[in-house]
Amino acid sequence: MPNSFADLKRLKSRVAGLHSDHRRIAAGAFRVAVFLLLGKVAGALKEMAVAYRYGVSDVVDAYQFTMTLANWLPVTIVGVLSVVLIPVLVRARDDDEAERRRFLGELQGWVILLGVVLAVATYIAWPWVLELAGAGLDAETRRMSLQLTLAFAPAALLTLMTGVSAARLRARERHINTLLDGVPAAVILVWVMLAFTADVGPLLWGTLVGYAIQSAWLLWLAGRADGMMGRPRLGFSTHHWPDLIAAAGVMLVGQVAMSFVGPIDQYTAATLGNNANATLGYAARLLSLLLGLGAASVGRAALPVLADVQRRGDARRARALALKWSVLMLGAGGCVTLVGWLLAPWMVGLLFERGAFTAEDTGRVAEVMRWGLLQMPFYFGVLILVQLLASQNRYRIMAAIAVANFLLKAVMNQVLAPVMGVSGIMLATSLMYALSYVSYMAVALRRPDPPAAAP
């Protein structure tokens, strides 16, 4: 007992002796992990309800197909904004209030305009999307997919507004947006469980209402966090726009390339038939729970801290900080892979095997999930390096790596899927993240020139 007490005191002393930047990342990661866990619980319960109500069916095929393809461009844009906008918002703390309010209002105005354009374009173009990318789907699945655009078209606008509000919160090192990521899932869960029929309606209305609640809630919280709402207007009058537009343009190239990974997976799965889209979707959503609790928690917490360290002019400190966390996360991801491989059938069965979801479905989803688990170490390790390069404004290198990742993924899908089925799609993803980690580590180990590291 005395030894245990002494060990506890030594542990507390070591934690207290950590540099404040390490403690900021650790504290932020802990909060994000807790919020992610709560949000993912809502997501897991939603998936259990969908599996119970629909099983591996054409309805789930339609929902998975529509969600992936309709969301890809809004999610891509939000991904770019979350990388390039947070460092700008951190640096904007040095501006006066009028300047910050004007920039925020212009940002909101352009985002709303872009969201409306995307929403209208999604609905108008969807029949063409079904002809091109949904050729492997049957007529009934296509009909349900077209119906689901009534929810996913307006969700494009709501997703963009949510992304900006989340970036504002993260720039202030407030991570409540992570908890609210579970709001759409919670609303879908309620709608599906209260429904009397197993058609596409509950998924449609649950999605639309859930996105609307999340977007409005986050906008209110962001306004409280930075003390202003930012009345929407169009313009480029503040000094932040030239750097932001240049950075976003470069990042968009790489992000668009990476954003095609989801649609390519859906297209590849659609060509395999036999509810391959639904099988892939169940495995991917279970993997996202593990990815989110591990890597995303540290990655989301690290960017505002690294950007702040860069703003203080200590580029060497930011680099050392990120490299240490990356190696730590690589080892953590390896442990998750080992445990997950052993427990995959149990996890799939626990979450999904009830109602229309059978033991045979459990076996298929677990096999696919195991191949996807191989991405864990590389995904865990690379996310912190992504934040490092973003804080250094090294967006061209990031875009080049993203394009290389996409090309490898596209080739491996065509090589592995015909041989391994849906498992080949997951293995291709794992190989893609392995290339990503090696590339980012090679770049991070090179000291950047002083101009590249400047904020």
Side-chain angles (χ1 to χ4, degrees):
M1 189 72 176
N3 289 338
S4 298
F5 182 71
D7 291 342
L8 182 60
K9 288 186 66 176
R10 282 195 294 271
L11 178 60
K12 289 183 177 179
S13 177
R14 291 183 63 183
V15 171
L18 288 174
H19 191 279
S20 61
D21 293 327
H22 281 294
R23 292 202 300 271
R24 287 169 66 189
I25 293 177
F30 177 77
R31 289 193 295 271
V32 173
V34 171
F35 290 152
L36 271 171
L37 179 61
L38 295 174
K40 294 298 185 180
V41 166
L45 291 174
K46 184 262 287 187
E47 296 303 331
M48 293 168 66
V50 171
Y52 175 80
R53 180 74 69 180
Y54 300 104
V56 178
S57 65
D58 291 342
V59 176
V60 180
D61 268 352
Y63 181 75
Q64 182 67 26
F65 177 87
T66 311
M67 179 177 63
T68 301
L69 293 187
N71 276 346
W72 81 266
L73 188 52
V75 170
T76 298
I77 295 172
V78 168
V80 171
L81 286 177
S82 67
V83 173
V84 303
L85 183 58
I86 290 174
V88 172
L89 293 173
V90 170
R91 294 193 294 269
R93 296 175 191 171
D94 298 328
D95 297 339
D96 59 56
E97 183 177 341
E99 180 82 358
R100 288 189 289 117
R101 190 181 300 276
R102 188 163 59 252
F103 172 66
L104 182 58
E106 291 171 352
L107 179 65
Q108 297 276 29
W110 286 113
V111 164
I112 290 173
L113 177 61
L114 179 59
V116 171
V117 171
L118 283 178
V120 174
T122 298
Y123 187 76
I124 292 175
W126 204 252
W128 177 78
V129 172
L130 286 172
E131 288 295 328
L132 182 65
L137 303 175
D138 59 42
E140 181 63 14
T141 303
R142 291 189 188 188
R143 183 193 65 80
M144 290 186 289
S145 177
L146 185 61
Q147 189 177 352
L148 281 166
T149 57
L150 295 173
F152 283 106
L157 168 63
L158 299 172
T159 297
L160 294 186
M161 294 179 63
T162 295
V164 172
S165 298
R168 292 167 61 188
L169 287 165
R170 289 177 58 195
R172 297 281 175 174
E173 297 183 43
R174 301 184 184 181
H175 302 287
I176 187 65
N177 63 287
T178 305
L179 176 62
L180 298 188
D181 285 346
V183 169
V187 176
I188 293 172
L189 165 66
V190 173
W191 225 287
V192 167
M193 292 308 297
L194 293 180
F196 294 102
T197 60
D199 60 13
V200 78
L203 294 173
L204 189 160
W205 288 107
T207 297
L208 181 58
V209 174
Y211 274 98
I213 293 174
Q214 180 194 27
S215 180
W217 201 344
L218 277 175
L219 181 62
W220 177 70
L221 289 173
R224 290 186 58 188
D226 52 29
M228 58 187 68
M229 291 302 294
R231 185 167 57 87
R233 62 184 187 179
L234 299 179
F236 299 103
S237 63
T238 63
H239 68 93
H240 294 295
W241 282 110
D243 290 340
L244 179 60
I245 292 173
V250 173
M251 275 298 296
L252 190 61
V253 174
Q255 198 72 17
V256 166
M258 286 298 293
S259 73
F260 276 108
V261 168
I264 282 178
D265 283 351
Q266 292 300 309
Y267 173 77
T268 306
T271 63
L272 297 175
N274 297 322
N275 299 125
N277 283 99
T279 302
L280 179 66
Y282 282 121
R285 289 192 286 274
L286 190 50
L287 286 169
S288 72
L289 173 63
L290 302 176
L291 292 170
L293 291 179
S297 59
V298 176
R300 293 187 186 188
L303 181 55
V305 176
L306 293 173
D308 189 46
V309 175
Q310 295 283 349
R311 184 175 66 96
R312 300 198 306 258
D314 197 352
R316 181 177 298 180
R317 175 68 194 166
R319 176 174 170 273
L321 194 69
L323 289 174
K324 289 178 182 178
W325 276 94
S326 178
V327 173
L328 176 65
M329 295 304 295
L330 182 71
C335 294
V336 172
T337 298
L338 179 60
V339 175
W341 189 283
L342 297 174
L343 298 181
W346 176 80
M347 287 189 287
V348 175
L350 177 67
L351 288 177
F352 302 136
E353 194 176 315
R354 55 187 56 83
F357 197 101
T358 66
E360 183 180 354
D361 296 329
T362 295
R364 287 200 300 266
V365 173
E367 179 185 0
V368 174
M369 178 185 168
R370 279 176 165 162
W371 289 103
L373 282 167
L374 297 178
Q375 72 188 269
M376 291 288 171
F378 311 111
Y379 187 94
F380 275 40
V382 78
L383 210 56
I384 190 74
L385 299 178
V386 171
Q387 314 308 318
L388 171 65
L389 267 64
S391 71
Q392 296 172 339
N393 296 337
R394 300 169 80 177
Y395 300 117
R396 292 184 184 277
I397 296 176
M398 296 171 68
I401 294 174
V403 171
N405 289 340
F406 164 73
L407 292 175
L408 178 67
K409 170 66 174 174
V411 171
M412 288 296 99
N413 262 26
Q414 297 303 310
V415 171
L416 296 174
V419 178
M420 301 175 60
V422 184
S423 296
I425 297 175
M426 279 297 187
L427 178 57
T429 300
S430 299
L431 293 174
M432 177 188 72
Y433 280 115
L435 172 64
S436 181
Y437 180 78
V438 171
S439 301
Y440 269 99
M441 181 58 76
V443 173
L445 286 173
R446 295 203 324 260
R447 296 176 185 272
D449 295 331

